[in-house]
Amino acid sequence: MRSGVLDTREDLMWVRVLGSAAGGGFPQWNCACPTCRAARDGSRPCLPRTQSSIAITADRRRWYLINASPDLRAQIESCPDLHPRGGRDTPIRAVLLTDAEIDHTLGLLLLREGRALEVHATPAVRETLCSGTAVLRTLQAFCPVTWRPVVPGAETSLGDGLSYRAFDVPTGKPDRFAVGGDQGRVVGYRLIDAATGRTAVYLPGVPEFTAEVRAELDDCSCLLVDGTCWRDDELLDLAGKTARDMGHLPVGEPGGSLDQLAALPVERRIYVHINNTNPMLLDDSPERRAVERRGVEVAADGLEVRL
């Protein structure tokens, strides 16, 4: 069901895009690329965006975060459903992690004032957060943390009529903090509403749509997918790396994600994790029109999807 259409049924899974930009947000603090300049001076129509994360719920009272970005505090404040209901009673029940990247996990430290925190992560991600970046080890010094192992391929109940099945995603790039091998280092999540059987897939980073990844996307009700760069060479002058070097399939090149998404049997397709350099962030750009002509959406912060 399209966002913005009121539905009063309670047996719905809701997905809220807390942040729709890639690491650094939009505009990025140290970047003066054409899109960042447009966001600052208002010369082109576009919306600022915070760093990538979503929240899901089945009742709008208990929420589960997928990834915790460095912008998490502002994202919580922008969503009244995530505000505390009295004292320190937070509606956030757990955080699910797709990987151990800083822009997906640094927000965990912003939750340190909580009485306890439940974190779902693969053993590889947990080990990196403990022995690599030390984010989890630091968090545990402030509040009790319960780790729930994520096993790709196994369906896991969150309660409240929600469950998920994680699936392995090709990493596509080295991780400077990774401990151990690549297995379980990056996952996507297939989110399932038990009451309706409808599903959403969250896949903020993917270097290629392998047969295994495609199998997880088939027939999902909504796909929130990696839209980092428009071109493979988009970041070469700024960061010295291509999109593929960084583990992201470019959107607009022949055979890129836009071409492949158009052929997938998915009801609704939405780009998230969009880099500040990507011209489809500009509402009036040819790239935005090309995406919309193919029936794909470009997420903005605050977008809600009712399933």
Side-chain angles (χ1 to χ4, degrees), residues 82-241:
L82 296 180
H83 294 176
R85 300 189 177 92
R88 297 294 176 91
D89 179 23
T90 174
I92 298 172
R93 292 293 179 259
V95 181
L96 286 59
L97 299 176
T98 61
D99 52 57
E101 295 285 345
I102 288 290
D103 54 318
H104 294 161
T105 60
L106 197 57
L108 290 172
L109 297 179
L110 304 181
L111 302 177
R112 66 190 181 278
E113 295 94 350
R115 293 172 181 157
L117 187 62
E118 181 174 299
V119 176
H120 295 239
T122 66
V125 169
R126 178 179 183 270
E127 185 62 24
T128 297
L129 292 177
C130 287
S131 303
T133 65
V135 166
L136 197 55
R137 195 167 71 242
T138 302
L139 178 64
Q140 289 170 329
F142 288 89
C143 75
V145 178
T146 300
W147 172 52
R148 302 296 185 196
V150 169
V151 180
E155 187 163 334
T156 301
S157 174
L158 289 171
D160 307 326
L162 294 176
S163 62
Y164 68 79
R165 186 175 72 240
F167 56 93
D168 278 309
V169 177
T171 57
K173 69 169 182 175
D175 185 333
R176 72 189 71 188
F177 295 108
V179 177
D182 285 344
Q183 186 174 7
R185 191 149 65 85
V186 181
V187 298
Y189 285 98
R190 188 174 177 103
L191 309 159
I192 305 149
D193 184 338
T196 64
R198 291 170 67 77
T199 58
V201 171
Y202 187 56
L203 187 59
V206 61
E208 60 176 315
F209 289 123
T210 62
E212 293 77 13
V213 170
R214 282 178 177 272
E216 299 293 343
L217 310 184
D218 283 351
D219 301 319
C220 73
S221 308
C222 180
L223 169 61
L224 299 111
V225 67
D226 183 356
T228 305
C229 289
W230 185 263
R231 304 185 323 274
D232 192 38
D233 64 356
E234 190 170 302
L235 292 171
L236 268 179
D237 291 341
L238 295 172
K241 298 177 182 178

